[in-house]
Amino acid sequence: MPSLVAPSLILVTGGSGFVGSGVISSLLGRNFAVRAAIRSDEEAHYLKATFSSHVSERKLSFAYFSDIADTGAFDGAVRDVDGVVHCASPVPSTIDPEQHPDVTINTATKGVIGILSSARQHGTNVKRIVITSSAAAVTDTKEDNYVYNEENWNMSARELVTEMGYKAPPPLRYSASKVVAEKAAWDWMKEHQPAFDLVTLLPTFVWGRSPTSCPSHYHAGSDSLLLLPISQALSGKLKDDQLLETTEMVDVLDVGEAHVQALVSPEATGQRFLLSAGWISWKEALFILHDRPVAGISVPPVKEHTATSKVTSYCSAEKGKEVLGIKYRPKADTIYETVQGAVEGGWTLNDSKKRAGVTSHLRLSSTTERSLACLTLCLLHQ
């Protein structure tokens, strides 16, 4: 399958989201034309403000849909586009815990099948579709020191959701939705053999400065999963051993560039790619913020620990480096810019304290908690 070149027109679903806006920024920076699929003019506000010159030059346009699960939701949006990046999907902050967990799983799956079907029926120019999956579709409960790669599938997330039912927390439902939806996409491709090809990207936790300075990216996006433990640590709510807990992360700018590379690289066809800049502990994050102070956030000297950070299993990002040529930004820059951008956007430590209840329900049995730690950010103990 030939790769795409600028100024091809690329459809980006979920374009107003944290990752979606990062993808749009990278595409416009590489001289692609972009059609952002969003749900309302209100969602377009920050995109229009940030990329006003591109809107004026008609390099950035908009298409509207009501629900990604609706049949034919993207039929109009795919017309005349050369490629598609499908970012739209339920995220933990939008998942209603009162609903049956299958609602989240089915919505994500219908969205994926919907964009593929619309492209097959109405996107006569579409050459490649890139779907934003997640490392949550890969990492499960392997033994310590296990290195995950693109051959792994986290089917235990679906099994846990089935077992827990309504008690399944939103992050676990999210993990299950990602693995089920991605599996469904690859099965659909095998069954229908469309004229376009498919690539899926699987980022770990995506942090960084909001590409559009949208406040909701810090309050409801994956950035909040960095801001919350920092808030807890500064208020003394994280114990010493919890400060040594680690998580894997990747900068939103790198994720945006990876999506562009997935569109333009001929070698990417039919492949999955994990995206990770590596792991970092909360202690290291506090060290960074102490050495590089952010106005409005006072980080005292961090107490030294004789114990080492708790790295158990992790994701290998070597395939993406080799095939897509991804070069990751320094983690210290990502940590600093995340907090700096959040503060500039009005975030305070009290905002994260209000969100503390979001993760408090993750205190489960030790066996299940260990499983969830591989799937979600369950290391954020209260």
Side-chain angles (χ1 to χ4, degrees), residues 17-19 21 91-93 204-231 247 249-253 255 282 333-343 345 347 352 355 377 380:
F18 183 47
V19 170
S21 60
V91 295
S93 60
T204 53
F205 286 107
V206 184
W207 295 341
R209 178 189 293 275
S210 166
T212 58
S213 299
C214 177
S216 68
H217 293 168
Y218 300 108
H219 293 277
S222 56
D223 268 351
S224 65
L225 300 178
L226 166 63
L227 300 173
L228 174 56
I230 287 175
S231 174
T247 192
M249 47 76 68
V250 59
D251 196 292
V252 66
L253 297 179
V255 174
W282 308 126
D333 290 349
T334 302
I335 298 298
Y336 174 79
E337 290 170 12
T338 300
V339 178
Q340 183 188 52
V343 171
W347 174 82
S352 285
R355 283 183 50 82
L377 206 59
L380 301 186

Side-chain angles (χ1 to χ4, degrees), residues 50 85 105 130 264 272 274 316 320 333 361 373:
T50 303
V85 175
I105 295 170
V130 177
V264 304
R272 311 170 81 203
L274 278 162
S316 170
D333 290 349
H361 62 282

Side-chain angles (χ1 to χ4, degrees), residues 17 39 43 68 88-99 103-104 107-108 169-171 173-174 177 216 219-222 224 355 358:
R39 289 173 294 185
E43 286 192 352
I68 63 172
S89 191
V91 295
S93 60
T94 64
I95 294 172
D96 183 357
E98 300 301 318
Q99 287 184 330
V103 172
T104 301
T107 297
R173 301 179 189 207
Y174 168 80
S177 75
S216 68
H219 293 277
S222 56
S224 65
R355 283 183 50 82
V358 173

Side-chain angles (χ1 to χ4, degrees), residues 20 30 40 69 95 136 141 152 191 225-226 233 267 309 366 380:
R30 301 271 287 269
S40 66
I95 294 172
T141 55
N152 295 113
E191 177 182 353
L225 300 178
L226 166 63
E267 299 82 6
S309 297
S366 58
L380 301 186

Side-chain angles (χ1 to χ4, degrees), residues 69 263-264 298 362:
L263 286 169
V264 304
S298 178
L362 298 182

